[in-house]
Amino acid sequence: MFTESWLSVGPSLDDCIKCNICSSYCPVAAVTDLFPGPKYVGPQAQRFRENGQPHSPDHSVDYCSGCRVCNEVCPTGVKIAELNARARAQIVADQGISLRNRLLGRNELLGKVGSIAPSLANFGLHNPVSRVLADKVMGIAKEAPLPHWSRNGTFGSWIKRTGDQRLRSDRKVVYYHGCATMYYEPFIGKAAVAVLEHNGFEVIVPPQNCCGLPMLSNGEFKAARNYHEGNIQKLTGYAREGLAIVGTSTSCTLTLKEEAPELLDMHSEEANTLKMAVWDIFEWLRELYQAGELRSDFHRIDMVLPYHAPCQYRAHRVGKPAMEILMLIPGIDLRESHARCCGIAGTYGYKVEKYQIGMDVGEELFGFVREQGDAVEMTACDSETCRWQLEHGTGLPSRHPIEILAAAYGLYDLEARALVGS
Amino acid sequence: MIDLLVIGEGLSGLMAAYHAARAGLSVRVIGKGLGALHWDAGTIDLLGYLPGAHDSLRCPMKQLGLLDPAHPYHLLGEATLAAALAQFVALTAELGLPYSPAVVAGENSLLSSPLGAARPVFLAPAAQQGGDLGSSAPMVVVGFKGLRDFYPALIAENLNKLGYPARAAFLPYQLLSGRRDANTVHLAHELDAPARRAKLAAALKKLLEPGERIGLPAILGIDDHPAALVHLEQIVQAPIFEIPTLPPSVPGIRLVKSLRQHLLQLGVRVEAGMEAIGFETNGGNNIQWVETETSARPLKHRAKSYLLATGGILGGGFDSDHTGRVWEVVFDLPLTIPQQRSHWFRPQFLEATGQPVFRGGVPVNRRFQPVRPSGEPVYANLWAAGGTLAGADPIRERSLTGIAVATGFAAAQQIATSHALT
């Protein structure tokens, strides 16, 4: 069947000139024989997946981490990462999906369940016995940096509780927090709200659901479609009013903008209206800055700060706006990472057969952080799973740039990860 | 707002960015993907053949007068061309990746191509100079069983046919890598490790016959390349040189990597994955911004001046349709390429005078500003350099990298002068 998305993604394989740039820069192919490289599993294997040939020639495409470095470096615009994601979905459709991958795709459900009794859930997940069990039975690597449920309530409960303290203003912005902020790191959302309000914006936090990315990357396209439809329903109204929808999770915003519509073939007027209203929070703050409207009442923060723009952030193709804003803060000696990927790639590095690949990929980044010397107390990175991997690989705490910015405004304590005065 | 936005990150774009930054301009480089240097032999080919001539040129600088008046070298003039080449030699020495004329300054030398043909080269990186075919020392061309992109027997046979003494020899692939399969970039990374080099050197020493020099595929390290070459020669006690491979091409990648690192030190950001898709003028002939494609809305890049360095048909600077219409992809500039398919080619495939479709391009004036047929600059703040320029047939002439280095320099000079005047 020639669906619309087949037309947008599939034929791009004909633009492949076999230059091998993608294979040379692919961080996964650089460390393992199990992944023969983007050119092979992407445009080349795609020739065997066309109509009437639904099966992928082999399973090596499962070792693509989806980091999209191949798309970034391709000189002719082949949509390699999308070809791979579709091929994975085809394998899942043909052969079903493991319980593990089904679970890893259900970030939101896990978040909700664990948040009922977070201490119990944290103990249940993080004690050595259950990690070994999860490793042996489920295939979730026992060393992998899984998150902890927030013990101080969810972001949703905080926003409800503090509703009467929120700024009211004619200038409004919608905040998409995503699952990680909701259930694991509500302080990221608090920092974002504080920064937006400090700049005079009323923050609207509407009901929303998971962006569906974990399912997309585990090949569960059908379930991901439900999620995207849910978000279209819940959020497009704000987009129609002309409000910007900003997010602190780079992979969520990328999914709302591009991944979900493209991979799921959802190009309705509503989906497009939503796409065009979504911003990564720093992409949006940079617009504010360029218009001369970003407040610059920064406190000095003296520190050496290695910053890694995650691959899902670079996949937005908007440059590195978080870095541009952080560089405005006096005292910060920002060191830019040019590492390709931290290795975690969403849920990739959690899987027992891929954990070590993820760590080997991440070594480029961990090594970069080590090279910055002993003065480094923390790193910065926009994506939650990448931060957890960075902490795992370097032993240093990692912060979202929005936490750093909130701290520079004097609103946030970087050590306690809490709003000042709360 | 920055002074100069360079569109295209091939050799001409990077060189222009370098010279403009050195002249004090603030510069940013964007590109759709990585540039064509990734599949280039990594030599500077000034001019290998005159149109219609069968034999290669010995003294290209003295033959420039025989080129078409519209050729970029004519627009440059001999003094600017010489200055550009001298600056390139000085720059690469500073980068630790020194280029120089092979034997006699001002003359082309002949080096083996990946197929064993004699290719005329004006400036070569240190590792390729030992392969000068003007020297009578016999060569042993060493390959590795299972390495896909290098064929010593073919090279030796073709060199013999041309009268150059050469023989082929093979070593086990396992000397290079424990991997089952790896491309030349991965292998070059392996040879960054001294222990790996020592093993290789010991094996080379065994197969060497007295008086021979050793030709190896161009994989002798990437980050530690200069040391790798010295290290090998010290152990083997014989001259060693590199022969370029099929893509990906390590010598080209080394040059890109070191140029990019140097640009970063000069404060120039080079960003891949940013495809220019549109622009806006002030209503007159001044470009106000260039837009690149992102995951949602286009991103605006504002600069005082713009340099088009997107390459020709090979680099992706031009596109065409089935009727034969050819257009320049960013600004839709006037082109000298025939706009009818039947006029693209002459009857002979290997026509000595080349094919009209490859000689065409963007016509510029002596200031390297794209012009209309009337001679008027199309935009007051737009310049062009490299493979996009009209009047040359760079593949046929073997002048692609020479034109890139020289016109990148000249365009940057012109831009700097125009900024000094305003």
Side-chain angles (χ1 to χ4, degrees):
Chain A
M1 240 30 68
F2 287 97
T3 62
E4 193 177 338
S5 61
W6 193 91
L7 288 173
S8 76
V9 173
S12 79
L13 75 89
D14 283 337
D15 289 327
C16 176
I17 56 170
K18 316 292 180 215
C19 70
N20 275 301
I21 287 181
C22 60
S23 302
S24 303
Y25 283 83
C26 171
V28 178
V31 299
T32 176
D33 274 335
L34 294 169
F35 187 59
K39 186 186 73 163
Y40 295 95
V41 303
Q44 259 162 232
Q46 186 68 15
R47 300 207 180 275
F48 298 93
R49 298 188 193 114
E50 290 185 28
N51 287 345
Q53 297 180 335
H55 301 284
S56 206
D58 64 49
H59 280 190
S60 57
V61 69
D62 187 45
Y63 279 85
C64 165
S65 75
C67 70
R68 297 175 53 132
V69 167
C70 46
N71 287 21
E72 182 182 347
V73 298
C74 176
T76 64
V78 182
K79 296 182 173 178
I80 311 166
E82 287 79 6
L83 290 173
N84 293 353
R86 296 188 142 256
R88 260 198 311 276
Q90 185 66 56
I91 292 176
V92 167
D94 288 350
Q95 300 170 9
I97 182 172
S98 68
L99 174 63
R100 177 196 64 189
N101 289 6
R102 203 178 278 275
L103 262 181
L104 289 177
R106 279 164 179 71
N107 197 4
E108 186 179 60
L109 181 69
L110 292 175
K112 262 185 205 161
V113 171
S115 294
I116 297 168
S119 299
L120 192 65
N122 283 332
F123 175 76
L125 181 66
H126 288 282
N127 76 76
V129 177
S130 46
R131 288 305 301 264
V132 170
L133 268 174
D135 186 296
K136 299 288 176 235
V137 179
M138 300 266 303
I140 295 176
K142 60 180 188 294
E143 308 90 341
L146 298 180
H148 293 256
W149 281 276
S150 162
R151 280 173 303 169
N152 311 318
T154 64
F155 175 69
S157 66
W158 176 78
I159 205 86
K160 209 177 271 175
R161 198 170 64 238
T162 59
D164 54 345
Q165 299 159 32
R166 301 271 61 87
L167 181 76
R168 300 279 168 257
S169 164
D170 291 340
R171 307 183 79 192
K172 298 179 203 300
V173 63
V174 177
Y175 177 49
Y176 185 86
H177 47 69
C179 305
T181 293
M182 185 69 174
Y183 303 110
Y184 307 120
E185 301 189 320
F187 39 82
I188 305 280
K190 295 177 193 175
V193 170
V195 165
L196 294 169
E197 289 186 345
H198 187 69
N199 279 284
F201 284 84
E202 179 177 332
V203 182
I204 302 168
V205 185
Q208 50 190 274
N209 51 249
C210 171
C211 67
L213 177 64
M215 287 176 165
L216 286 173
S217 47
N218 284 293
E220 274 195 89
F221 278 21
K222 226 177 176 175
R225 170 179 286 272
N226 291 338
Y227 273 146
H228 195 54
E229 271 165 3
N231 278 326
I232 290 175
Q233 235 170 36
K234 291 166 186 161
L235 299 173
T236 303
Y238 297 99
R240 280 201 210 292
E241 287 172 39
L243 295 181
I245 301 168
V246 303
T248 38
S249 176
T250 59
S251 50
C252 300
T253 46
L254 183 70
T255 305
L256 294 175
K257 281 175 170 184
E258 187 171 45
E259 292 285 87
E262 187 152 76
L263 290 174
L264 302 170
D265 227 349
M266 295 171 77
H267 300 288
S268 64
E269 189 268 331
E270 288 95 340
N272 204 45
T273 303
L274 175 59
K275 168 193 175 102
M276 288 306 188
V278 173
W279 301 74
D280 167 77
I281 193 162
F282 276 93
E283 181 192 9
W284 186 80
L285 289 171
R286 179 175 64 182
E287 293 281 310
L288 215 58
Y289 170 67
Q290 283 171 352
E293 293 169 8
L294 184 77
R295 283 182 65 168
S296 60
D297 49 340
F298 300 124
H299 300 222
R300 192 179 171 84
I301 304 183
D302 283 301
M303 67 165 148
V304 177
L305 183 65
Y307 167 71
H308 176 66
C311 29
Q312 292 290 340
Y313 200 9
R314 304 199 309 270
H316 283 260
R317 310 185 293 284
V318 296
K320 295 183 177 176
M323 192 176 80
E324 288 175 43
I325 300 298
L326 291 186
M327 283 170 76
L328 303 173
I329 300 170
I332 292 189
D333 177 359
L334 200 73
R335 310 278 175 87
E336 180 187 6
S337 145
H338 295 278
R340 288 168 285 184
C341 179
C342 72
I344 199 79
T347 57
Y348 184 89
Y350 290 164
K351 299 170 183 172
V352 71
E353 75 280 11
K354 297 178 179 113
Y355 168 78
Q356 193 53 48
I357 296 175
M359 292 303 284
D360 291 346
V361 166
E363 184 48 37
E364 194 179 333
L365 176 58
F366 311 149
F368 157 77
V369 173
R370 282 196 302 271
E371 280 165 22
Q372 306 315 308
D374 293 338
V376 175
E377 288 171 12
M378 64 178 68
T379 64
C381 177
D382 309 76
S383 162
E384 54 275 357
T385 49
C386 304
R387 277 195 303 277
W388 303 334
Q389 172 85 340
L390 246 172
E391 293 183 336
H392 180 54
T394 64
L396 291 167
S398 188
R399 297 290 180 262
H400 191 296
I402 201 71
E403 295 178 89
I404 313 266
L405 184 59
Y409 281 136
L411 306 168
Y412 190 80
D413 183 332
L414 276 177
E415 197 137 327
R417 301 191 98 169
L419 293 178
V420 169
S422 67
Chain B
M1 200 200 309
I2 56 168
D3 292 321
L4 174 62
L5 180 75
V6 176
I7 308 164
E9 46 193 77
L11 186 56
S12 59
L14 296 178
M15 289 312 297
Y18 164 73
H19 289 295
R22 281 270 306 253
L25 270 55
S26 56
V27 185
R28 172 173 275 200
V29 185
I30 56 170
K32 180 175 175 180
L34 298 180
L37 269 179
H38 284 73
W39 58 81
D40 190 89
T43 50
I44 301 305
D45 304 341
L46 184 63
L47 183 65
Y49 296 88
L50 286 170
H54 192 267
D55 294 323
S56 66
L57 288 176
R58 196 184 182 97
C59 304
M61 289 298 269
K62 292 181 185 155
Q63 315 272 334
L64 301 177
L66 298 173
L67 290 168
D68 189 280
H71 196 284
Y73 288 155
H74 264 295
L75 301 176
L76 281 162
E78 207 174 306
T80 308
L81 180 54
L85 293 166
Q87 295 241 9
F88 180 80
V89 168
L91 169 64
T92 52
E94 190 187 332
L95 298 179
L97 196 69
Y99 277 62
S100 53
V103 180
V104 185
E107 288 190 8
N108 277 335
S109 57
L110 295 176
L111 301 177
S112 174
S113 83
L115 295 180
R119 69 193 163 93
V121 167
F122 195 72
L123 299 173
Q128 290 189 42
Q129 282 161 8
D132 180 18
L133 295 173
S135 150
S136 59
M139 287 176 269
V140 53
V141 182
V142 180
F144 299 87
K145 280 180 195 152
L147 173 57
R148 277 166 290 140
D149 299 327
F150 190 72
Y151 305 97
L154 180 70
I155 294 170
E157 190 183 324
N158 281 337
L159 288 176
N160 287 337
K161 279 183 196 161
L162 295 171
Y164 304 112
R167 69 177 175 105
F170 287 91
L171 289 172
Y173 176 82
Q174 288 69 28
L175 269 176
L176 297 178
S177 172
R179 300 275 303 269
R180 232 181 7 234
D181 183 33
N183 74 19
T184 48
V185 175
H186 301 146
L187 296 177
H189 278 297
E190 299 260 20
L191 287 175
D192 278 335
R196 178 74 70 186
R197 298 199 295 252
K199 266 194 197 165
L200 171 63
L204 286 172
K205 206 168 178 171
K206 275 188 206 154
L207 59 77
L208 186 72
E209 285 171 12
E212 276 184 333
R213 47 182 167 157
I214 301 176
L216 286 170
I219 53 170
L220 306 182
I222 281 202
D223 298 324
D224 199 29
H225 164 65
L229 185 66
V230 172
H231 184 196
L232 281 172
E233 284 188 326
Q234 265 174 0
I235 301 179
V236 182
Q237 289 293 313
I240 292 177
F241 63 94
E242 286 188 327
I243 299 174
T245 63
L246 296 181
S249 174
V250 173
I253 294 172
R254 285 181 198 131
L255 183 56
V256 178
K257 274 190 104 166
S258 53
L259 280 176
R260 283 183 66 144
Q261 270 164 16
H262 193 66
L263 283 172
L264 206 58
Q265 285 164 14
L266 293 174
V268 178
R269 303 193 59 75
V270 181
E271 300 199 72
M274 286 196 169
E275 180 182 3
I277 52 166
F279 67 106
E280 188 58 63
T281 66
N282 62 346
N285 73 340
N286 240 292
I287 296 163
Q288 284 202 300
W289 69 72
V290 163
E291 291 183 346
T292 55
E293 182 265 357
T294 80
S295 47
R297 61 207 76 73
L299 180 66
K300 292 185 178 76
H301 302 259
R302 292 170 198 272
K304 288 182 193 139
S305 297
Y306 302 83
L307 175 74
L308 183 73
T310 45
I313 290 174
L314 177 71
F318 308 145
D319 203 351
S320 67
D321 66 17
H322 65 283
T323 67
R325 190 171 83 82
V326 185
W327 61 94
E328 184 279 304
V329 297
V330 182
F331 301 103
D332 198 12
L333 295 170
L335 293 179
T336 61
I337 300 176
Q339 295 291 317
Q340 262 180 302
R341 208 177 182 94
S342 57
H343 296 169
W344 281 7
F345 303 108
R346 296 197 173 94
Q348 294 294 317
F349 176 63
L350 293 173
E351 178 70 48
T353 48
Q355 305 294 357
V357 66
F358 298 131
R359 184 161 292 276
V362 174
V364 294
N365 60 18
R366 286 185 176 275
R367 301 183 56 227
F368 286 86
Q369 293 208 267
V371 290
R372 298 182 192 288
S374 63
E376 278 295 292
V378 186
Y379 298 105
N381 57 347
L382 178 65
W383 281 261
T388 194
L389 298 176
D393 184 351
I395 306 286
R396 169 85 217 151
E397 295 168 358
R398 293 216 63 91
S399 61
L400 187 65
T401 42
I403 289 175
V405 164
T407 59
F409 169 74
Q413 267 195 331
Q414 295 289 347
I415 294 164
T417 306
S418 90
H419 280 240
L421 293 175
T422 53

